[in-house]
Amino acid sequence: MAREQWGTKLGFMLAAMGSAVGLGNIWRFSFVAGENGGGAFLLLYLVFVFLIGIPLLLTEVSIGRKAKSDVIGSYKTLAPRTPWFMTGFFGVCSAFLILSFYAVVAGWALYYFVNYVTGNFFQAPAEGGFEGAFGGFISQGWQPLFWSALFMTLTIIIVFSGVKKGIEMANKIFMPLLALLLIILAGFSLSLDGAMEGLAFLFQPDWSALTQPSIYIQALGQAFFSLSLGMGALLTYGSYLSDDKRLPSAAVGIGLMDTFFAVISGLVIFPAVFAFSIDPTSGPPLVFITLPSIFEQMPLGGIAGLLFFFALSLAALSSAISILEVPTAYFMRLFNWTRKKSSVIVGSIMFFLGIFVSLGFGIWADVTPIADFNILDSMDYIASNIFLPLGGLSMALFVGWYFAKPTALKAVDLKDDVFGNVWYALVKYLVPIMIIVIFISSIQ
Ligand code: LEU
C-alpha cells in the first residue's frame, strides 16, 4: 500500500502547528514560567527555541521526509545495521509517557468546557470555590477517568480517519479557530486593571532567576515539549510529505507560530493573574483554579471561560493526535496492522497508563516516584526534561556526524551558503554541546 500523504503543504504546516500548539503553550508554559521567574524564563526559553528548537525541528521533519517511514523505521532505513534506531525507540517511549498524562489533563479541560456550556462554572461553587471544585474533581476515581476516556476516544477517531481525512482536516478547522479565540481572550485580559503588572512579570526579566540551575533544564524541556520535538511526532508527520515541499520556511513558520501562541497565552494568563492578585507560582492547577476565579469576576466572564476551555480542548486534541500517530505508524509497519487497529490498541494502552496518573491525584496522592513529584509531575519530568532533549541530542548527532555534510544539507533543502552553514554548525556542534552542558549542570 502506498504511504499516505498530506493534501497540501499548508495542510502539513497546520498539522505540525496543531501538534506544537497545545497544553504545553497554555497550561504547561504558564505554570513553568510562573514557577521559574517569569521574564527570565521566557527569555531563556526563546533563546532555546531559536538556537536549538527551530534548527532541530527542521532536522526532525527532514529525517522523516527522507526516509518515508515511522520514527524507528526511518533510522533503520537511513542507517541500517546501526544502533541509531534507538533514538526512535526513545521517541516511542516518550509518546507513551506523554500521551498518558496529556490525556488526563486534556480530560480536565473537557470537563471544564462542559461545565461552562451548562453554566455550572459561571459562578464559583459555594463551598470551597474553584479550588475546592478542582481538587474535589481530580481526586475522584471515575469522573476524571471518564473525561480522559472521552478525550482519548476523540483522539483515536481522528487518527484512524487517516492522515488527510482525519489529521489534516481537523487541523484546518482547529488552528484558525484557536488563534482567533486566544486573541480575543488576550484582548479581554489586557483590558483588566492591573494588567501592567502581569506584563512586567512576563517581559521584565528578574536576572537573579538565572542563577538557579534548574531554570535551564526547565526552559530546555519546555522548548522541546512545546515544539513537539524529540519524540518523532514531527518526524512522522514529515514522512507524509513529498520531496518537492521545501522545508526551511516551513520549519521556521511552525517554530514562530508556536512561540506566538506561547506569548499570546502568557498575555491571556499573567495580566489576569496579577489583576486579581493570584500567586503566579501556584503550579499545574494555575489554569484550572485561577482562571475560572478570574473569569467569574470579569464582565462576560462565563463566555470567556467557555471560549477558553474550548480553545484549550481543541489545542490539546490537535497535539494529542500527533503523539498518538507516532506509535500508531510504528505498529502499523511492525505488525502490518491497519491504521484502525493500531490506533485503537495504542490509544487504549495509553489510556490505561493514564489511569495511574489520574489516581495519583486521588487514592495514590502519596506516591511520589521522583523527589516530591506526584505521578503526573514525575512522568512529565522524565519525558520532557530528559527523554525529549536526549532524543533531540541523538537526532543532532545523527544528522551532524553520521551524515556527510552534503547529505545533511540536501536533506533539509539548504545549500552550502550562509544559512546552510549556520544550520549545520548549530546542529553539529552548538546544539549537542548546549544540551550536554545543561544536562550535566542540572545533575549537579
Ligand atoms: N507540543 C505539544 C504542546 O505544546 C505537546 C507535544 C508533546 C505534542 O502541548
Side-chain angles (χ1 to χ4, degrees):
M1 201 174 69
R3 193 168 185 76
E4 292 171 88
Q5 278 204 349
W6 303 107
T8 60
K9 182 176 170 191
L10 181 69
F12 158 72
M13 290 205 36
L14 288 173
M17 285 172 190
S19 168
V21 178
L23 292 173
N25 303 60
I26 305 173
W27 163 74
R28 199 177 189 280
F29 175 81
S30 53
F31 81 79
V32 180
E35 283 174 342
N36 288 282
F41 175 86
L42 178 64
L43 202 79
L44 208 55
Y45 164 76
L46 291 177
V47 169
F48 292 161
V49 165
F50 286 98
L51 286 185
I52 299 178
I54 294 181
L56 278 186
L57 206 158
L58 175 59
T59 309
E60 184 170 332
V61 176
S62 78
I63 296 175
R65 187 188 61 167
K66 189 171 163 65
K68 305 272 186 302
S69 185
D70 56 88
V71 65
I72 294 180
S74 288
Y75 288 97
K76 289 201 161 163
T77 308
L78 299 178
R81 290 174 301 281
T82 65
W84 284 107
F85 72 90
M86 289 301 290
T87 316
F89 181 74
F90 267 100
V92 172
C93 294
S94 307
F96 272 97
L97 275 176
I98 293 178
L99 193 52
S100 45
F101 73 77
Y102 206 87
V104 171
V105 180
W108 302 345
L110 266 187
Y111 170 77
Y112 269 60
F113 168 58
V114 171
N115 273 284
Y116 273 99
V117 171
T118 59
N120 231 357
F121 276 2
F122 278 29
Q123 249 142 29
E127 246 172 81
F130 284 114
E131 194 161 356
F134 181 66
F137 167 64
I138 59 171
S139 59
Q140 286 173 27
W142 292 108
Q143 252 219 339
L145 288 178
F146 166 79
W147 292 99
S148 163
L150 181 66
F151 178 82
M152 196 59 115
T153 308
L154 295 174
T155 309
I156 293 174
I157 291 176
I158 298 180
V159 170
F160 82 47
S161 305
V163 172
K164 209 191 299 186
K165 290 212 185 82
I167 302 175
E168 182 168 349
M169 177 78 120
N171 278 294
K172 271 188 180 158
I173 306 170
F174 293 175
M175 289 312 291
L177 198 60
L178 182 61
L180 189 74
L181 290 179
L182 283 179
I183 291 170
I184 296 176
L185 285 173
F188 243 141
S189 190
L190 287 171
S191 70
L192 295 168
D193 288 341
M196 277 307 153
E197 221 181 315
L199 289 185
F201 178 75
L202 201 54
F203 294 116
Q204 277 178 6
D206 164 13
W207 299 113
S208 68
L210 294 179
T211 55
Q212 266 201 311
S214 63
I215 189 178
Y216 296 88
I217 188 109
Q218 293 284 3
L220 183 73
Q222 177 60 24
F224 270 88
F225 189 91
S226 190
L227 291 169
S228 303
L229 265 182
M231 70 179 169
L234 295 169
L235 184 153
T236 309
Y237 275 13
S239 75
Y240 306 126
L241 270 176
S242 55
D243 292 332
D244 56 341
K245 306 282 190 295
R246 283 189 45 83
L247 297 185
S249 54
V252 173
I254 297 162
L256 287 180
M257 194 50 92
D258 186 61
T259 311
F260 168 78
F261 274 100
V263 173
I264 285 276
S265 24
L267 289 181
V268 172
I269 290 158
F270 289 109
V273 163
F274 282 87
F276 294 105
S277 319
I278 285 159
D279 180 9
T281 65
S282 31
L286 189 70
V287 162
F288 292 97
I289 297 175
T290 57
L291 283 178
S293 327
I294 292 161
F295 293 139
E296 190 195 11
Q297 300 171 55
M298 267 165 62
L300 295 181
I303 307 288
L306 190 148
L307 291 180
F308 178 82
F309 286 102
F310 182 55
L312 192 63
S313 308
L314 278 189
L317 193 55
S318 60
S319 298
I321 54 186
S322 74
I323 312 176
L324 182 57
E325 181 64 18
V326 174
T328 297
Y330 170 55
F331 287 114
M332 278 169 71
R333 177 183 60 83
L334 187 67
F335 299 127
N336 220 347
W337 284 349
T338 59
R339 173 168 277 283
K340 200 170 203 161
K341 182 169 177 188
S342 189
S343 56
V344 171
I345 294 180
V346 175
S348 309
I349 297 174
M350 287 166 164
F351 168 73
F352 180 76
L353 292 175
I355 296 178
F356 297 89
V357 176
S358 189
L359 293 179
F361 292 93
I363 52 170
W364 287 342
D366 299 336
V367 180
T368 50
I370 303 180
D372 57 351
F373 292 171
N374 64 19
I375 300 181
L376 184 148
D377 291 340
S378 303
M379 283 168 78
D380 178 27
Y381 194 90
I382 297 175
S384 312
N385 294 355
I386 301 176
F387 277 27
L388 297 185
L390 273 184
L393 173 65
S394 178
M395 198 160 71
L397 295 176
F398 179 65
V399 171
W401 296 86
Y402 182 79
F403 281 177
K405 187 175 174 187
T407 318
L409 286 174
K410 187 162 179 282
V412 294
D413 298 330
L414 285 172
K415 290 195 207 58
D416 200 348
D417 57 9
V418 185
F419 291 118
N421 282 302
V422 168
W423 168 80
Y424 190 68
L426 284 173
V427 168
K428 186 164 180 146
Y429 303 107
L430 195 76
V431 168
I433 291 174
M434 281 174 77
I435 295 178
I436 291 170
V437 168
I438 294 172
F439 266 140
I440 293 177
S441 63
S442 84
I443 292 169
Q444 290 167 347

